[in-house]
Amino acid sequence: MRLKMIRDNTSFDFFSRWKVWLGISAAMVVVGMLSFAIQGLNYGIDFRGGTTIRTESTQAVDTGVYRDAMGPLGLGDFLITEVFDPSFAADQNVAMVRIQAQEGQEAVTPETILAVEAALAEVIPDIKFLSTESVGPKVSGELIKTAALAVVLAIGAVLIYIWLRFEWQFALGAVAALVHDVILTIGVFSELQIKFDLAIIAALLTIVGYSLNDTVVVFDRVRENLRKYKKKPLSEVLNVSINETLSRTLMTSVTTLLALIALYVLGGDVIRGFVFAMIWGVIVGTYSSVFVASTILLWLGVKRNWDKQDPNVGNQYANIDA
């Protein structure tokens, strides 16, 4: 028996309360921006600076043992990751210990590094400390600028792609949805003060791609139906298109969420922030593809016949009150 989340031939009206959906989105965007302006983000080691200690031992790396040893030192934020390399011997276990710089300090002090090494040596007698490297606030500041530039360039590339693929109204609708998703994701990290590091930037770029994929699927069907139903008002064409792609949209989102929830529960602390960002991004990305991008398209209006060049086309078909 085939699983169906949505019955065939649905006829939900997504635009009867379009002002409500835009109002909810606008309110969440404002809250996210205010939270970012007032509280800021809880930057991790990547953006705040810190020290990385590379260790090696014959004992298998157990991050729990490392954390228990370093916990009483009051180091603030620290991260332990195991390093894998095919060239390593069977008894060569390498780990990277990353310690956040303390408030008001350029880097972790030598005394703190010695205390960390002593604490680890007590629980892992044969441990060796291969190298110690520090990242200052200047490098971290450059990382923040580069990360922000990466997100802006990704959204700009999407604007150009959708403009060439469809029409400028589609492009603005898609970009509005992407900006909505990025702001809400940054806002929830600011509001909950979850650690924000380079992994979250990777999640933001992934969310942009996921949301864009959903939006393009809907817009592709909208363009087909605009040619098919030349007499229908734009709001009805959008409703038909979203209903026709609704099953695909929800099935994709739910199956993605199942995998992400499993990773969030079982994946450990190292990837939990990234997975949380992805879960939130999938939810708001699905929402924005249906309610934000399409509503912006309805508001702007679109050309109904791509076979004829008409300089007067515009929003005369966007009967929002329909």
Side-chain angles (χ1 to χ4, degrees):
M1 183 172 125
R2 189 162 65 93
L3 174 64
K4 284 188 180 181
M5 292 185 60
I6 300 293
R7 64 181 176 83
D8 295 331
N9 302 318
T10 57
S11 56
F12 298 116
D13 186 356
F14 293 96
F15 299 104
S16 60
R17 298 186 178 182
W18 65 272
K19 292 181 181 179
V20 174
W21 304 124
L22 282 189
I24 292 172
S25 294
M28 290 192 296
V29 167
V30 170
V31 169
M33 294 175 70
L34 286 176
S35 179
F36 177 74
I38 296 171
Q39 294 189 117
L41 292 169
N42 178 21
Y43 291 114
I45 297 171
D46 296 325
F47 295 134
R48 190 173 287 178
T51 297
T52 300
I53 303 173
R54 186 181 177 96
T55 70
E56 180 182 326
S57 69
T58 57
Q59 182 177 324
V61 175
D62 186 337
T63 57
V65 172
Y66 279 66
R67 286 187 175 279
D68 290 342
M70 296 171 59
L73 300 178
L75 301 173
D77 186 22
F78 62 88
L79 182 67
I80 301 107
T81 55
E82 186 174 1
V83 178
F84 296 96
D85 193 307
S87 64
F88 288 168
D91 61 347
Q92 189 177 7
N93 301 287
V94 178
M96 301 290 283
V97 179
R98 306 173 71 187
I99 308 167
Q100 175 184 297
Q102 304 304 304
E103 199 69 37
Q105 297 180 356
E106 291 285 323
V108 177
T109 63
E111 293 78 12
T112 301
I113 294 173
L114 289 175
V116 170
E117 292 178 350
L120 293 176
E122 285 186 13
V123 294
I124 309 170
D126 68 336
I127 194 169
K128 299 176 185 177
F129 302 99
L130 304 179
S131 64
T132 302
E133 299 175 353
S134 294
V135 176
K138 183 177 180 180
V139 174
S140 300
E142 291 176 356
L143 280 176
I144 294 175
K145 293 178 183 177
T146 304
L149 181 61
V151 175
V152 171
L153 288 178
I155 294 176
V158 167
L159 175 64
I160 296 171
Y161 166 75
I162 299 294
W163 197 324
L164 296 175
R165 180 83 168 81
F166 299 96
E167 295 287 329
W168 66 269
Q169 297 95 331
F170 290 86
L172 291 181
V175 168
L178 296 184
V179 172
H180 167 274
D181 299 343
V182 170
I183 291 177
L184 290 192
T185 303
I186 293 175
V188 78
F189 270 78
S190 173
E191 187 66 30
L192 301 179
Q193 288 294 291
I194 302 172
K195 185 174 66 176
F196 193 91
D197 52 24
L198 282 177
I200 308 307
I201 297 298
L204 285 175
L205 294 174
T206 308
I207 290 166
V208 167
Y210 182 91
S211 179
L212 176 64
N213 180 62
D214 262 358
T215 303
V216 167
V217 168
V218 174
F219 280 0
D220 240 352
R221 188 59 60 89
V222 170
R223 187 170 62 171
E224 291 174 8
N225 286 334
L226 283 171
R227 291 192 176 105
K228 185 177 178 181
Y229 305 111
K230 297 182 184 293
K231 302 296 184 181
K232 279 188 176 184
L234 181 57
S235 59
E236 291 185 22
V237 175
L238 287 169
N239 264 323
V240 169
S241 303
I242 295 172
N243 276 285
E244 288 176 352
T245 58
L246 188 60
S247 178
R248 177 261 173 209
T249 298
L250 289 182
M251 284 297 290
T252 302
S253 298
V254 170
T255 51
T256 304
L257 284 173
L258 288 175
L260 289 172
I261 291 170
L263 279 174
Y264 186 82
V265 174
L266 304 173
D269 293 334
V270 176
I271 62 170
R272 189 156 287 157
F274 172 85
V275 176
F276 175 80
M278 286 299 303
I279 291 173
W280 175 256
V282 168
I283 294 171
V284 298
T286 303
Y287 167 84
S288 67
S289 296
V290 174
F291 294 105
V292 177
S294 299
T295 303
I296 295 294
L297 182 61
L298 176 64
W299 179 57
L300 293 173
V302 290
K303 181 166 64 175
R304 302 301 292 266
N305 188 349
W306 279 267
D307 299 325
K308 296 179 181 179
Q309 296 297 323
D310 183 1
N312 298 316
V313 296
N315 62 0
Q316 64 268 35
Y317 296 101
N319 185 7
I320 294 178
D321 295 326

